[in-house]
Amino acid sequence: MARKISQKINTLAILSAILLAHPACAKENFVSYKEAAPVLASKAPKEAEPGSLVPEELYAEMAQGKDFLIFDARTKDEHDHERLPNSKLPRDEVYYKEAELFKQKIVREAPSSKKALERATKDIPRDAAIVTYCHAHCGLSKTLKLDLEDLGFKNVRWMDGGIDVWREKGYPLEKN
């Protein structure tokens, strides 16, 4: 939580500095944040976020035979339809069955995602290399990374661009 707040503060600080340094920021030229955001975003440095990697890096590591786990943060249906090679769902089967029952309004309470993650990863060494992914503009892989770190995993990265960029690059996918 503190890490997310720190990242938001850093982003706001960069945007504020750019905004204040821009000549259009004279009092008579103020615009709404909605109008300024696209301009500011294009001026902000495009650095890789800590703990992330791009599909090209993951593909290269896979080609080199590096040993790591790949967790798909998307839904079970999406994973079953199409996924990165050798990727797995991060939670146990019980969770996905209970989630489906909740979705169908058969049960009233949603299953605990964090408890299911803890159950499913209890036998994985905490120093195992793990990569998480979802879609290009989805935050689930980052959230999963943080949840895994909360469980004590020390070597977790998330793939920026997700399966969408992976597919655009023409990298292999497994399908049912």
Side-chain angles (χ1 to χ4, degrees):
M1 179 73 151
R3 188 177 324 170
K4 286 181 185 179
I5 292 170
S6 175
Q7 288 174 342
K8 287 181 181 181
I9 290 171
N10 288 340
T11 301
L12 286 173
I14 291 170
L15 292 176
S16 297
I18 293 169
L19 183 63
L20 291 173
H22 198 279
C25 292
K27 279 189 178 181
E28 62 275 4
N29 294 326
F30 273 118
V31 295
S32 72
Y33 178 77
K34 280 186 176 180
E35 294 173 296
V39 174
L40 295 174
S42 69
K43 305 278 186 211
K46 302 285 188 201
E47 295 179 14
E49 287 188 47
S52 71
L53 75 163
V54 295
E56 295 86 351
E57 292 173 288
L58 179 57
Y59 183 73
E61 288 184 19
M62 290 171 80
Q64 294 169 4
K66 290 195 177 177
D67 189 28
F68 50 86
L69 296 170
I70 303 174
F71 282 142
D72 187 344
R74 302 172 306 145
T75 67
K76 182 176 183 341
D77 288 342
E78 289 173 307
H79 176 81
D80 289 347
H81 173 69
E82 178 182 62
R83 63 200 161 278
L84 270 63
N86 301 314
S87 66
K88 296 177 179 9
L89 291 167
R91 292 166 186 87
D92 60 6
E93 193 63 34
V94 171
Y95 169 80
Y96 295 104
K97 287 178 182 174
E98 289 176 355
E100 185 60 31
L101 293 173
F102 177 74
K103 182 178 166 186
Q104 294 176 10
K105 299 182 181 182
I106 295 171
V107 297
R108 292 181 185 214
E109 195 171 319
S112 170
S113 176
K114 289 193 178 192
K115 286 181 184 176
L117 182 64
E118 188 174 355
R119 285 192 310 263
T121 60
K122 71 179 184 295
D123 296 328
I124 299 173
R126 294 311 189 233
D127 62 347
I130 300 173
V131 175
T132 66
Y133 75 93
C134 55
H135 289 289
H137 302 289
C138 168
L140 292 174
S141 58
K142 293 179 196 178
T143 301
L144 179 56
K145 174 191 182 301
L146 295 173
D147 288 346
L148 287 164
E149 288 175 340
D150 287 347
L151 291 174
F153 289 94
K154 297 169 182 32
N155 189 10
V156 185
R157 298 174 292 166
W158 61 275
M159 185 173 68
D160 192 9
I163 193 169
D164 302 318
V165 173
W166 182 273
R167 188 183 311 104
E168 287 172 15
K169 297 284 182 185
Y171 297 147
L173 291 164
E174 292 178 349
K175 297 182 181 196
N176 282 352

